[in-house]
């Protein structure tokens, strides 16, 4: 029961955290897609590099630069614009996919990490070296991402749909509809589109998030700075969220763009893969484009990680005797 309990505890905590921070995740996705050409063959020259110096521009290029600059807005303004143009419900677009994603991806990674943690913890000192925590996170994250990738693709598409012109919107009614239509129209392999990036990101997030949480919590308790309670859990979890955001944001931007790209039969796809997407993004928008959406990422990753671990600690207390 011990091994199964880790999956149950992690699953409950992940679903609660995912649903409660879904609007922040949606805003992050929209911001990561800012500056990206929306059509399959749209030219990249109308994109303004993130790091650019003043040059003598022709009037038409100046207009394009101003339009691109104006199109890029912050997380608060993005949220307000979504609310005004699409309504309150739009902030929860794709929440069904989030539930499925957390059920598949997070439940798997949390459960496997818990198993490895118990297996690799020193029985005498009751501690596990940081290197082993990171390794456990890498393994758990990779397996979890492979299992949950279809839900991840559906979630990204449902969250991004509102930014497209009406004629180009997919208008998925639910995560089941999204998965069914993707399989029918683009083939079953489309459900694992961007899976290499998803796996890489999940390995980085899980290793940095879970390992840093355990390490920071252990350090706080060992140094006697705080007692094992809510304050300790909040401090350790928010710190872990910040570490995870810094490590994963570049991979997350590329993953979002690859998953969201619209493939038109008979036409060349916008990106041939993750590396191609990364190179085109940096070339067209500058290297700082890989940290697009970082503010909403940390704004979402922080609360998500806090809710995740605080809920997890409480669920563990409730299920302690089972």
């Amino acid at each position: 029961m011990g091994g199964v309990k880790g999956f149950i505890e992690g699953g409950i905590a992940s679903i609660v955290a995912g649903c409660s921070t879904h609007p922040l995740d949606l805003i992050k996705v929209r911001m990561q897609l800012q500056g990206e050409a929306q059509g399959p063959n749209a030219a990249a020259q109308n994109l303004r590099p993130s790091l650019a110096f003043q040059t003598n521009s022709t009037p038409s290029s100046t207009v394009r630069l101003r339009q691109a600059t104006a199109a890029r807005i912050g997380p608060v303004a993005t949220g307000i614009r979504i609310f005004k143009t699409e309504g309150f419900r739009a902030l929860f677009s794709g929440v069904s996919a989030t539930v499925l994603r957390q059920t598949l991806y997070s439940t798997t990674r949390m459960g496997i990490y818990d198993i490895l943690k118990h297996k690799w913890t020193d029985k005498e000192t009751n501690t596990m070296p940081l290197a082993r925590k990171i390794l456990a996170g890498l393994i758990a994250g990779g397996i979890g991402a492979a299992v949950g990738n279809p839900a991840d693709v559906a979630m990204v598409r449902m969250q991004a749909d509102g930014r497209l012109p009406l004629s180009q919107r997919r208008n998925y009614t639910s995560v089941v509809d999204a998965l069914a239509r993707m399989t029918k129209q683009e083939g079953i392999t489309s459900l694992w589109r961007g899976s290499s990036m998803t796996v890489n990101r999940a390995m980085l997030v899980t290793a940095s998030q879970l390992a840093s949480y355990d390490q920071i919590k252990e350090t706080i308790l060992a140094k006697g700075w705080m007692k094992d309670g809510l304050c300790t859990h909040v401090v350790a979890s928010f710190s872990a969220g910040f570490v995870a955001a810094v490590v994963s944001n570049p991979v997350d931007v590329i993953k979002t763009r690859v998953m969201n790209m619209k493939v038109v039969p008979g036409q060349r796809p916008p990106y041939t893969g993750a590396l191609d997407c990364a190179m085109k993004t940096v070339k067209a928008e500058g290297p700082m484009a890989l940290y697009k959406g970082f503010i909403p990422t940390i704004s979402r990753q922080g609360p998500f990680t806090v809710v995740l671990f605080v809920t997890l600690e409480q669920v563990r207390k409730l299920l302690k005797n089972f």
Side-chain angles (χ1 to χ4, degrees), residues 101 104-106 108-109 139-152 191-192 195-203 206 259:
R101 178 178 180 268
L104 297 176
Y105 159 62
S106 288
T108 302
R109 72 177 183 126
I139 295 171
I143 296 173
V147 173
N149 199 82
D152 209 5
L191 300 181
W192 275 270
S195 59
S196 62
M197 296 303 295
T198 305
V199 170
N200 290 335
R201 177 189 177 276
M203 290 173 72
T206 306
M259 286 183 169

Side-chain angles (χ1 to χ4, degrees), residues 49-80:
S50 295
L51 297 177
F53 298 96
Q54 289 289 344
T55 59
N56 293 324
S57 304
T58 61
S60 60
S61 63
T62 301
V63 171
R64 286 199 299 268
L65 291 181
R66 286 175 180 170
Q67 288 175 338
T69 304
R72 297 178 183 176
I73 58 177
V76 176
T78 299
I80 292 173

Side-chain angles (χ1 to χ4, degrees), residues 1-320:
M1 180 66 183
V4 176
K5 193 164 71 168
F7 286 90
I8 296 173
E9 293 169 345
I12 294 172
S14 298
I15 292 171
V16 171
C19 291
S20 59
T21 59
H22 182 82
L24 296 173
D25 194 47
L26 183 140
I27 291 171
K28 177 203 71 175
V29 167
R30 295 288 183 91
M31 289 191 69
Q32 288 176 337
L33 293 171
Q34 284 181 18
E36 181 189 40
Q38 292 184 8
N41 298 311
Q45 63 264 27
N46 66 333
L47 303 178
R48 180 180 185 273
S50 295
L51 297 177
F53 298 96
Q54 289 289 344
T55 59
N56 293 324
S57 304
T58 61
S60 60
S61 63
T62 301
V63 171
R64 286 199 299 268
L65 291 181
R66 286 175 180 170
Q67 288 175 338
T69 304
R72 297 178 183 176
I73 58 177
V76 176
T78 299
I80 292 173
R81 187 171 69 175
I82 293 171
F83 177 75
K84 285 184 175 180
T85 59
E86 302 172 48
F88 176 76
R89 290 182 61 184
L91 293 171
F92 286 90
S93 296
V95 72
S96 60
T98 292
V99 173
L100 180 61
R101 178 178 180 268
Q102 297 300 336
T103 302
L104 297 176
Y105 159 62
S106 288
T107 300
T108 302
R109 72 177 183 126
M110 299 287 283
I112 292 175
Y113 180 82
D114 190 65
I115 290 173
L116 294 176
K117 180 180 173 181
H118 281 90
K119 187 174 182 179
W120 291 347
T121 295
D122 189 296
K123 304 301 180 185
E124 295 181 1
T125 62
N126 200 33
T127 59
M128 183 167 72
L130 179 59
R132 287 192 176 183
K133 291 173 186 169
I134 294 174
L135 180 59
L138 291 172
I139 295 171
I143 296 173
V147 173
N149 199 82
D152 209 5
V153 178
M155 183 184 73
V156 167
R157 290 191 174 196
M158 292 173 76
Q159 289 177 335
D161 210 36
R163 69 182 283 274
L164 298 173
L166 290 172
S167 60
Q168 295 181 23
R169 292 184 184 179
R170 301 178 176 100
N171 295 316
Y172 297 133
T173 57
S174 66
V175 64
V176 175
D177 178 53
L179 296 176
R181 284 171 54 186
M182 284 169 61
T183 302
K184 184 178 180 181
Q185 297 169 2
E186 303 172 49
I188 195 167
T189 55
S190 66
L191 300 181
W192 275 270
R193 181 171 293 152
S195 59
S196 62
M197 296 303 295
T198 305
V199 170
N200 290 335
R201 177 189 177 276
M203 290 173 72
L204 292 173
V205 168
T206 306
S208 57
Q209 188 184 66
L210 301 188
S212 59
Y213 174 78
D214 282 342
Q215 191 69 27
I216 292 168
K217 180 184 170 185
E218 287 175 11
T219 302
I220 290 173
L221 296 177
K223 298 288 185 180
W225 294 336
M226 295 182 187
K227 293 183 179 180
D228 191 3
L230 183 61
C231 289
T232 300
H233 302 159
V234 171
V235 171
S237 57
F238 189 83
S239 300
F242 181 80
V243 173
V246 172
V247 170
S248 67
N249 202 88
V251 183
D252 201 26
V253 170
I254 304 306
K255 176 184 77 74
T256 296
R257 293 190 171 197
V258 170
M259 286 183 169
N260 186 58
M261 70 176 176
K262 194 166 187 176
V263 180
V264 178
Q267 294 187 22
R268 188 176 181 179
Y271 311 116
T272 57
L275 182 60
D276 180 54
C277 179
M279 293 177 65
K280 286 181 178 177
T281 298
V282 172
K283 185 178 180 180
E285 304 168 58
M288 288 306 294
L290 296 177
Y291 273 92
K292 274 187 175 180
F294 179 73
I295 299 301
T297 293
I298 187 60
S299 298
R300 184 259 179 187
Q301 194 71 257
F304 174 87
T305 311
V306 170
V307 175
L308 173 68
F309 286 114
V310 169
T311 304
L312 181 63
E313 297 285 1
Q314 298 306 311
V315 172
R316 281 174 175 169
K317 288 181 181 179
L318 290 174
L319 300 180
K320 188 176 181 180

